Amino acid sequence: MDAPHSDPRPDARTPTLGRVCDLVEELWPGSLAESWDAVGLVVGRRDAPVRRVLFAVDPVAAVVEEAVAWDADLLITHHPLLLRPVTSVAADGFKGAAVHRLIESSCGLLTAHTNADSAIGGVSDVIADALGVRDARPLQVTADGLSEEGIGRVGELDEVCTLADFAARVFRLLPAVAGGVRVSGDPDGLVRTVAVCGGAGDSLFDAVRASRADVYVTADLRHHPASEAREAAVADRPYLVDVSHFASEWLWLPVGARALERALADHELDAEVRVSQLNTDPWDFILTP
């Protein structure tokens, strides 16, 4: 573990939590978040100094402990801790325990969720870029942003490949998780136009079909939406590639961390930014035929 900070006094280059929140708002505007979402600052005093920032997907207990052990001043997670309303944050529940642990350790918590999905350079942009998808555009343009902003992305590969080869590319790209990658479609089918959505994307099937994508990469595909999508397929397309929710969104963390580092540097501010390496996918093993 790194040594704790010996001097509690911030210097002129140390940002406050409020200043970091402002930079996060510039990078991933809250106005881009879906109406049901809960983004922004969850825990922390805006006048507190921020020397260390940890990025993670999930605000689970292990991640909170990682932030505390590293002496982080701010934990930025993709998934909200308090997405659904609660009536208590008593420490005898896991959400309350996380809130108490963060407050008692002087570590703030900030969420960038669907705003980080929709923003330029957000989760789906990162997946598309990593897969070699060019000229990516939103599957569903946001109502309160630029034409380049919105949920999901669709674009073209430089070269046509088979579904089997494309799925192998997806598998190699993502962090290793128990569930692996599930594929629906002809392994020898040809793929050129690719649609992606980080996290759960089964609400976008109409947009995927309208985009004439050959394949759709997303997470958490449930039986009925996936079955109906296959039944509604035209010329067997879109093929489906179902990945881990955690793995699909982890890819954004290093990119988000670098974006925050650049934003701090542009304002002559300095904080150490780290990406959590913890695998917080909820599944531990899988049995297959």
Side-chain angles (χ1 to χ4, degrees):
M1 184 180 74
D2 298 275
H5 303 306
S6 58
D7 185 356
R9 297 168 300 174
D11 61 32
R13 291 182 60 88
T14 301
T16 63
L17 177 55
R19 193 72 185 94
V20 175
C21 288
D22 291 341
L23 295 177
V24 167
E25 176 65 19
E26 292 176 12
L27 292 167
W28 310 293
S31 61
L32 297 180
E34 298 294 296
S35 59
W36 49 263
D37 205 1
V39 302
L41 187 62
V42 180
V43 169
R45 297 183 181 275
R46 291 182 179 271
D47 59 351
V50 173
R51 297 182 181 87
R52 286 179 171 176
V53 181
L54 182 69
F55 273 74
V57 174
D58 298 296
V60 295
V63 168
V64 170
E65 290 305 318
E66 180 185 17
V68 171
W70 184 49
D71 202 22
D73 303 298
L74 176 62
L75 172 61
I76 297 179
T77 62
H78 185 56
H79 290 149
L81 176 65
L82 304 176
L83 178 60
R84 293 178 176 83
V86 298
T87 58
S88 170
V89 288
D92 52 0
F94 72 91
K95 291 186 178 183
V99 169
H100 280 262
R101 184 69 167 130
L102 289 165
I103 292 174
E104 291 161 1
S105 304
S106 300
C107 182
L109 174 63
L110 189 152
T111 299
H113 191 210
T114 52
N115 50 326
D117 290 328
S118 289
I120 297 170
V123 174
S124 291
D125 268 335
V126 170
I127 298 171
D129 288 345
L131 289 173
V133 177
R134 308 304 176 201
D135 301 320
R137 51 204 180 274
L139 277 170
Q140 181 176 289
V141 178
T142 184
D144 298 312
L146 303 173
S147 60
E148 299 90 347
E149 296 173 323
I151 298 294
R153 295 292 186 270
V154 60
E156 287 70 43
L157 300 174
D158 286 335
E159 296 181 359
V160 174
C161 66
T162 66
L163 176 61
D165 287 342
F166 178 78
R169 184 186 307 182
V170 174
F171 180 80
R172 290 191 299 268
L173 170 70
L174 296 176
V177 295
V181 172
R182 301 189 299 175
V183 185
S184 176
D186 178 4
D188 296 321
L190 299 181
V191 169
R192 181 63 179 268
T193 302
V194 177
V196 304
C197 180
D202 61 14
S203 65
L204 296 178
F205 274 129
D206 286 344
V208 173
R209 283 187 284 268
S211 74
R212 298 177 180 266
D214 297 310
V215 63
Y216 182 35
V217 182
T218 190
D220 292 350
L221 285 181
R222 296 169 295 158
H223 174 86
H224 292 297
S227 178
E228 290 173 3
R230 297 302 296 139
E231 290 297 303
V234 176
D236 205 28
R237 290 169 173 79
Y239 303 131
L240 304 179
V241 177
D242 183 36
V243 301
S244 157
H245 192 128
F246 158 80
S248 71
E249 295 177 329
W250 188 92
L251 292 178
W252 170 75
L253 299 183
V255 176
R258 288 194 296 271
L260 181 58
E261 286 179 322
R262 288 193 297 268
L264 288 165
D266 288 345
H267 290 82
E268 299 184 343
L269 298 171
D270 184 46
E272 187 176 357
V273 184
R274 176 183 288 187
V275 173
S276 172
Q277 300 300 308
L278 291 179
N279 181 346
T280 56
D281 187 273
W283 304 107
D284 294 313
F285 65 93
I286 188 170
L287 304 180
T288 59

